[in-house]
Amino acid sequence: MNATASLALRTKLTPTTPVLRAATAALWRPEGLRQRYVRYLAAMHPLVRASVPLLLRGAERCAERDDPASRRLAAYYIRHAEEERDHDAWLLDDLAAAGAGPAPVPHPAAVELAGAQYYRIEHEDPATLLGYIAVLEGNAPGPRLADRLAEVTGLPGGAFRTLREHAELDGGHLDDLHRVLDALAPTPARQTAVSVSALHTANLLTRLFLSLAADPGGHP
């Protein structure tokens, strides 16, 4: 029996899991965590701010194709954009609660993460955005992370809304994405494009986390 598209994607991403976990562990180690968490929020803000525009542009590009699979994907992107709306404002609130603000210059890895998706949507296939979403939501914060960070950093509870909300939401989002991907019954070429986008995203997300973990300034 042939593997489903979502199972094939998860299988291709399996080798990235221990690498991303190691980068995440370095990011959340206790030493210097208060300052590092604030840098994390500032680095994630431009990335989260790009989420809704990326989804809406993906939906527009799908609509241009006007076939049943593309219409189904466009509807998913529009629905997901509404679910992601205003999450960048949550990050600004978290930063304010931590006594900080957005970075004056976006982190280069965040620019690459979002920028690669703009390119793929415009010049490859709008379905490639599924690979990006799969990695980001497949590596969402765990349900106890916010409490642990609050305890170690001493920051107020208001600085952790984004982590708490995403810990609750992203598991269901990932299941929804897998259902959509399977329903698309993607061709081998489209499935490869989604997988390449996902692997590229995993690499860039690892680079972002390692950069924030290693450098006081949070840049490579």
Side-chain angles (χ1 to χ4, degrees), residues 42-201:
M44 292 302 291
H45 175 254
L47 191 61
V48 173
R49 183 173 56 187
S51 296
V52 171
L54 279 170
L55 287 160
L56 294 180
R57 184 55 185 153
E60 290 171 353
R61 294 292 283 165
C62 286
E64 293 171 6
R65 295 184 172 220
D66 196 29
D67 60 79
S70 294
R71 287 194 293 273
R72 185 180 296 114
L73 185 55
Y76 165 74
Y77 284 158
I78 291 169
R79 182 174 75 250
H80 194 47
E82 288 306 310
E83 293 168 344
E84 295 294 324
R85 196 171 297 281
D86 297 327
H87 290 196
D88 56 324
W90 296 355
L91 274 166
L92 291 178
D93 290 344
D94 288 349
L95 281 163
V105 177
H107 193 290
V111 174
E112 288 185 66
L113 276 158
Q117 294 309 306
Y118 281 112
Y119 179 89
R120 294 184 190 282
I121 289 168
E122 294 296 334
H123 302 294
E124 294 183 20
D125 185 330
T128 56
L129 189 58
L130 291 172
Y132 174 80
I133 298 169
V135 171
L136 293 185
E137 299 201 344
N139 292 278
R144 293 183 293 277
L145 179 62
D147 290 338
R148 182 167 69 83
L149 296 186
E151 181 179 356
V152 174
T153 64
L155 290 168
F160 300 95
R161 178 183 179 183
T162 304
L163 286 183
R164 293 187 193 282
E165 295 279 359
H166 279 267
E168 292 183 11
L169 295 174
D170 285 352
H173 284 173
L174 189 59
D175 291 340
D176 191 22
L177 181 146
H178 289 154
R179 286 191 293 269
V180 168
L181 180 57
D182 289 337
L184 289 177
T187 63
R190 175 171 260 193
Q191 195 164 332
T192 296
V194 172
S195 297
V196 169
S197 176
L199 291 168
H200 188 200
T201 300

Side-chain angles (χ1 to χ4, degrees), residues 16-29 36 40 139 202-214:
T16 72
T17 300
V19 180
L20 255 172
R21 284 180 178 168
T24 303
L27 177 64
W28 299 136
R29 69 188 188 279
R36 194 157 61 264
Y40 163 83
N139 292 278
N203 176 265
L204 289 172
L205 189 63
T206 300
R207 281 176 47 196
L208 174 61
F209 287 173
L210 289 176
S211 171
L212 292 169

